[in-house]
């Protein structure tokens, strides 16, 4: 999987670049929008990871330009812009995901795996199947309609069975995140699926393998 990574912060950029490379992704790291545009023109990528506030061409304008050029490569925005207006604009210009800074670098790997690594697969756990291609959940063969938050939680957990998912990663999938709202959402998902989702105190939640 080939990734074009745009980040002008040298410390964060180096950290994420090394992490992506060690995870087996062929990663090109650029530091401004012009470089990113040129790289996207000269080579095909499977995923773009773009900061927004970068020199020359910002992330929003860059994605709008790429979409206008019929480039449909999936985009993950990473940004310190955490207000609803910025997040809404990120999705409106064509991004598939938006991660608010600061974040744990490992969270980025989880998002990549959950959204893109298995996009042509059907995952199954106990009596539930999830098709990434059709974005469809079935329980014992019957289609299950879930809300946005419950659907996002299910995708993340079924993609990371046996791994602890941080509370911060789950908060980012909620419109009005809070510890109490998270507990309610997790309990609702447990009731809907029958899954054993453990609370790892002070860290997050984990869908147990057995």
């Amino acid at each position: 999987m080939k990734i074009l990574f745009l980040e002008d912060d040298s410390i964060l950029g180096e950290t994420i670049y090394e992490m992506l490379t060690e995870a087996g992704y062929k990663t090109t790291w650029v530091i401004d929008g012009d470089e990113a545009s040129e790289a996207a023109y000269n080579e095909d990528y499977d995923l773009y990871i773009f900061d927004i506030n970068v020199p020359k061409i910002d992330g929003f304008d860059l994605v709008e330009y790429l979409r206008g050029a019929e480039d449909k490569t999936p985009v993950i925005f990473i940004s310190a812009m955490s207000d609803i207006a910025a997040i809404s604009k990120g999705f409106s210009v064509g991004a598939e995901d938006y991660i608010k800074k600061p974040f744990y670098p490992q969270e980025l790997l989880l998002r990549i795996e959950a959204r893109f690594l298995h996009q042509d697969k059907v995952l199954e756990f106990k009596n539930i199947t999830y098709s990434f291609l059709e974005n469809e959940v079935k329980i014992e063969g019957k289609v299950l309609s879930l809300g946005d938050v419950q659907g996002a939680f299910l995708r993340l957990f079924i993609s990371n069975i046996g791994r602890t998912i941080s509370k911060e990663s789950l908060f980012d999938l909620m419109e009005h995140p809070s510890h109490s709202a998270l507990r309610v959402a997790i309990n609702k998902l447990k009731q809907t699926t029958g899954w054993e989702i453990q609370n790892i105190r002070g860290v997050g939640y984990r869908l147990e393998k057995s």
Side-chain angles (χ1 to χ4, degrees):
M1 188 173 183
K2 294 166 61 179
I3 296 176
L4 177 60
F5 171 46
L6 169 60
E7 173 59 66
D8 64 328
D9 183 302
S10 59
I11 296 176
L12 178 61
E14 184 174 358
T15 299
I16 292 179
Y17 174 77
E18 290 179 354
M19 181 190 68
L20 293 172
T21 302
E22 289 174 1
Y25 299 115
K26 183 179 178 182
T27 306
T28 301
W29 174 25
V30 296
I31 61 173
D32 65 55
D34 279 350
E35 282 190 85
S37 176
E38 184 176 351
Y41 178 80
N42 290 325
E43 191 168 355
D44 292 329
Y45 292 91
D46 300 299
L47 174 65
Y48 296 141
I49 301 174
F50 292 163
D51 191 2
I52 296 173
N53 286 327
V54 293
K56 298 184 179 179
I57 304 176
D58 70 42
F60 289 147
D61 289 344
L62 177 60
V63 172
E64 286 187 309
Y65 164 76
L66 292 171
R67 294 295 187 252
E70 300 300 317
D71 185 338
K72 304 301 182 183
T73 304
V75 177
I76 297 177
F77 277 131
I78 55 174
S79 177
M81 299 171 65
S82 59
D83 58 284
I84 294 299
I87 295 172
S88 297
K89 183 172 182 179
F91 285 110
S92 69
V93 299
E96 278 68 29
D97 205 349
Y98 193 112
I99 303 178
K100 296 175 284 187
K101 295 181 180 178
F103 59 89
Y104 293 106
Q106 187 70 22
E107 177 186 346
L108 181 57
L109 285 182
L110 291 176
R111 297 291 188 96
I112 293 171
E113 292 176 6
R115 288 184 174 269
F116 306 110
L117 191 59
H118 304 295
Q119 60 184 336
D120 60 343
K121 296 182 179 181
V122 175
L123 297 185
E124 184 173 356
F125 185 68
K126 296 191 175 180
N127 63 335
I128 293 178
T129 59
Y130 176 71
S131 169
F132 282 84
L133 185 61
E134 298 176 354
N135 190 28
E136 185 177 74
V137 179
K138 291 183 178 180
I139 294 184
E140 297 179 349
K142 297 181 180 180
V143 175
L144 177 66
S145 296
L146 297 173
D148 291 341
V149 173
Q150 290 288 297
F153 276 21
L154 185 142
R155 287 193 296 271
L156 192 57
F157 278 114
I158 203 170
S159 301
N160 296 280
I161 299 169
R163 299 180 182 177
T164 299
I165 298 173
S166 71
K167 291 181 181 179
E168 289 76 11
S169 296
L170 295 166
F171 282 156
D172 282 343
L173 301 176
M174 303 173 69
E175 186 175 357
H176 301 293
S178 69
H179 291 286
S180 60
L182 178 57
R183 286 194 296 271
V184 170
I186 292 294
N187 286 333
K188 183 177 180 180
L189 183 63
K190 290 167 67 175
Q191 292 172 2
T192 301
T193 61
W195 287 349
E196 183 181 353
I197 301 175
Q198 293 292 330
N199 180 5
I200 310 303
R201 188 175 298 277
V203 180
Y205 291 85
R206 180 172 64 230
L207 174 58
E208 299 294 348
K209 296 181 180 180
S210 59

